[in-house]
Amino acid sequence: MLQDFLDFARLNAISATVLELTGSTNDAASDPACRHGDIVVALEQSCGRGQRGNSWSSERGRNLTFSIVLEPENFAAERQFMLSKIVALSIVEVLAKFGVEARIKWPNDIYAGSRKIAGVLIENSVCGAQLTRSIVGIGLNVNQTAFDPALPNPTSVALETGREADLGHLLKELYITLMSMLRRGGGRSVDRLYLEKLYLRGVPHRFTASGRSFEGVIRGVGDYGELLVEQEGGATDSYLFKEIEFERGAP
Ligand code: BTN
């Protein structure tokens, strides 16, 4: 199932651990023995974690749930949103190769149309002004076609393309793309691409912030990852994660 990736990892001396069952790959990868570039993949997670305290559920062996350890050199902590951009863009780039046109729902959910196909949970360690270590956890729905009806809007590669994808091939492409984008480092081209791929940019939508529901238009993202939303009347406000929510449905 993951053979393509495991062959690639062996050939390139990448430490890859495949667990039949674990709580969360982010927790497994936070073992200090895991070093830069190491990857932990789970066939099943019993306590998969998402953002905002949500859980992440995934059918055993049908999807990708994994975490990669990064220990970047000289990466200023204040640039940590750049890492988020690189991770999201690498997923979008690989999905395109597999026939899925995806967008990034700020900050780093991955959407196909108006449905979520992947989620990212990045847990950073900072020392002084430097980002020292990141656990990049990615859950990508690949071959699952039936989901818990309680989930708001899930989709998968198989649902989007009408055919199953090889998990090992997909994981190999994700690993290569992410690590090479990281080596190139972030920069203006990453900023530009992130904006190009930003879900609902320029489209009126309803948001909730500080208990108030309003219509706004996403205009961009600030240097620290804050969402820039133009309000009715023309003023643009910036919001940190947790300060704003997208309302469901049409504006
Ligand atoms: C989200 O959309 O809220 C983020 C979901 C992240 C899920 C992945 S699955 C692999 C890794 N391990 C976890 O417990 N979470 C991430």
Side-chain angles (χ1 to χ4, degrees):
M1 188 167 56
L2 290 169
Q3 204 51 51
D4 203 9
F5 177 72
L6 293 174
D7 291 344
F8 158 80
R10 200 172 33 253
L11 273 174
N12 291 281
I14 294 160
S15 162
T17 306
V18 179
L19 301 170
E20 285 279 329
L21 171 68
T22 191
S24 154
T25 55
N26 269 36
D27 295 339
S30 66
D31 183 328
C34 293
R35 305 315 305 260
H36 181 76
D38 291 1
I39 175 167
V40 177
V41 189
L43 301 189
E44 184 177 358
Q45 296 185 116
S46 54
C47 296
R49 294 189 282 113
Q51 296 181 36
R52 300 181 197 253
N54 291 326
S55 58
W56 182 260
S57 62
S58 178
E59 188 179 334
R60 180 186 165 81
R62 305 285 291 156
N63 300 317
L64 288 173
T65 48
F66 63 97
S67 302
I68 299 178
V69 177
L70 302 176
E71 294 176 321
E73 279 172 22
N74 287 326
F75 200 105
E78 64 174 19
R79 288 182 63 234
Q80 51 189 271
F81 194 70
M82 182 53 80
L83 187 57
S84 213
K85 287 180 178 174
I86 290 173
V87 172
L89 282 172
S90 61
I91 299 171
V92 167
E93 190 173 313
V94 171
L95 282 174
K97 286 190 192 162
F98 283 77
V100 179
E101 204 47 58
R103 289 269 177 283
I104 303 161
K105 183 178 174 201
W106 178 86
N108 54 18
D109 282 347
I110 310 298
Y111 269 52
S114 55
R115 297 184 168 274
K116 182 164 169 171
I117 193 164
V120 177
L121 180 66
I122 301 180
E123 295 177 307
N124 289 328
S125 306
V126 169
C127 182
Q130 295 293 310
L131 180 70
T132 50
R133 188 172 152 97
S134 284
I135 311 290
V136 176
I138 298 175
L140 171 60
N141 297 330
V142 184
N143 293 325
Q144 183 168 348
T145 51
F147 290 88
D148 181 345
L151 290 173
N153 52 356
T155 190
S156 65
V157 174
L159 283 174
E160 294 300 318
T161 62
R163 59 184 182 275
E164 294 206 346
D166 182 86
L167 292 178
H169 183 201
L170 196 36
L171 183 56
K172 179 172 109 179
E173 293 295 325
L174 280 169
Y175 186 94
I176 293 171
T177 306
L178 171 56
M179 296 311 265
S180 74
M181 264 198 204
L182 265 178
R183 269 193 299 277
R184 287 200 300 275
R188 289 296 154 204
S189 65
V190 170
D191 292 340
R192 185 179 42 74
L193 261 179
Y194 182 88
L195 279 188
E196 258 174 39
K197 298 293 179 187
L198 195 58
Y199 176 67
L200 290 179
R201 184 171 66 100
V203 178
H205 192 76
R206 289 207 77 80
F207 299 89
T208 306
S210 307
R212 183 176 75 91
S213 167
F214 64 94
E215 186 174 307
V217 180
I218 296 175
R219 291 301 178 201
V221 172
D223 287 345
Y224 302 102
E226 66 278 24
L227 188 68
L228 308 177
V229 183
E230 185 181 322
Q231 320 275 326
E232 273 173 299
T236 297
D237 288 327
S238 64
Y239 299 90
L240 295 172
F241 189 56
K242 291 190 178 160
E243 288 181 342
I244 186 164
E245 283 198 35
F246 292 65
E247 292 183 11
R248 293 198 59 206

